């Protein structure tokens, strides 16, 4: 399951990722999964399928509610689900679960400029590289109705520490929390 949300009327919304063939994210440029949104009320259960557009890949989505609309917010990629080309927002009608709109916001060039040196940012932009290792921490809505997506770069490295006794040693895992990405939708 990706996310769960309960509204003020005790309606439960659950979002999950259904893999069509095993746990493969992509095959021949085509997504091998779909997102399913369920609404559970005291009277019935509704569901809808959330389709991706233009063969974009999405690792995960977070549910955000605003003015009787459900927003499914996350990052999309053109390469594979773990990378980031930009932010995506599926707007869903909370009553009948119809998909109202899909918006993709590509990361601006200055994001690459801020994360890397100017020369590397220009090279990455020209090679159409995407960011990776960012995970959504929070989704916030401001007073003007904008949605702000906060993500943090996280990855793990391993180092072998030798104790010097006949080649014996042990592995040390180090968690890295690096850059923070803030995307206003």
């Amino acid at each position: 399951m990706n996310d769960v949300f309960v509204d003020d009327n005790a309606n439960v919304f659950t979002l999950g990722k259904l893999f069509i063939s095993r746990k493969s994210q992509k095959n021949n440029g085509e997504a091998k999964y779909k997102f399913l949104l369920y609404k559970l009320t005291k009277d019935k259960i509704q569901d809808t399928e959330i389709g991706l557009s233009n063969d974009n890949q999405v690792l995960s989505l977070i549910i955000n509610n605003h003015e009787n609309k459900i927003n499914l917010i996350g990052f999309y990629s053109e390469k594979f689900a773990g990378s980031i080309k930009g932010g995506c927002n599926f707007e869903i009608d909370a009553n009948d679960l119809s998909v109202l709109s899909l918006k993709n916001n590509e990361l601006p060039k200055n994001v690459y400029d801020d994360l890397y040196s100017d020369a590397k940012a220009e090279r990455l932009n020209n090679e159409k590289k995407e960011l990776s290792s960012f995970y959504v921490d929070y989704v916030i809505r401001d007073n003007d109705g904008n949605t702000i997506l906060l993500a943090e770069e996280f990855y793990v490295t391993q180092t072998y520490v030798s104790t010097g006794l006949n080649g014996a040693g042990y592995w040390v895992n180090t968690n890295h929390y690096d850059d923070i990405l803030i995307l206003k939708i």
Side-chain angles (χ1 to χ4, degrees), residues 165-182:
L165 302 171
N166 298 327
Y170 57 92
W171 288 96
V172 175
N173 289 338
T174 305
N175 296 331
H176 298 271
Y177 300 92
D178 288 347
D179 296 313
I180 294 174
L181 179 64
I182 301 171

Side-chain angles (χ1 to χ4, degrees), residues 16-75:
K17 192 174 192 178
L18 175 66
F19 289 91
I20 298 167
S21 63
R22 298 188 198 131
K23 226 175 174 184
S24 173
Q25 297 276 349
K26 186 176 180 180
N27 189 8
N28 296 328
E30 185 178 323
K32 293 298 178 187
Y33 59 88
K34 54 188 168 185
F35 286 94
L36 297 175
L37 178 66
Y38 288 91
K39 177 182 178 182
L40 295 90
T41 65
K42 66 178 183 172
D43 300 326
K44 62 181 175 178
I45 298 174
Q46 295 173 272
D47 67 276
T48 190
E49 183 178 309
I50 309 300
L52 306 175
S53 67
N54 302 328
D55 294 326
N56 288 340
Q57 305 293 308
V58 176
L59 182 62
S60 65
L61 295 168
I62 290 179
I63 298 174
N64 187 277
N65 183 19
H66 182 68
E67 296 179 353
N68 205 31
K69 293 179 186 165
I70 298 293
N71 291 286
L72 307 177
I73 300 169
F75 292 118

Side-chain angles (χ1 to χ4, degrees), residues 125-185:
N125 235 3
N126 289 339
E127 295 174 7
K128 304 220 183 287
K129 296 278 185 176
E130 298 177 348
L131 298 179
S132 62
S133 303
F134 280 86
Y135 297 92
V136 177
D137 283 334
Y138 298 101
V139 175
I140 301 169
R141 190 165 300 271
D142 67 12
N143 293 336
D144 297 329
N146 298 308
T147 302
I148 300 167
L149 185 67
L150 294 135
E152 185 172 19
E153 185 177 19
F154 172 78
Y155 58 95
V156 178
T157 58
Q158 287 187 325
T159 307
Y160 184 76
V161 178
S162 175
T163 59
L165 302 171
N166 298 327
Y170 57 92
W171 288 96
V172 175
N173 289 338
T174 305
N175 296 331
H176 298 271
Y177 300 92
D178 288 347
D179 296 313
I180 294 174
L181 179 64
I182 301 171
L183 184 62
K184 182 178 175 182
I185 299 176

Side-chain angles (χ1 to χ4, degrees), residues 88-101:
C88 63
N89 180 12
F90 296 90
E91 192 172 73
I92 313 291
D93 184 299
N95 295 320
D96 63 5
L97 297 186
S98 61
V99 179
L100 301 174
S101 69

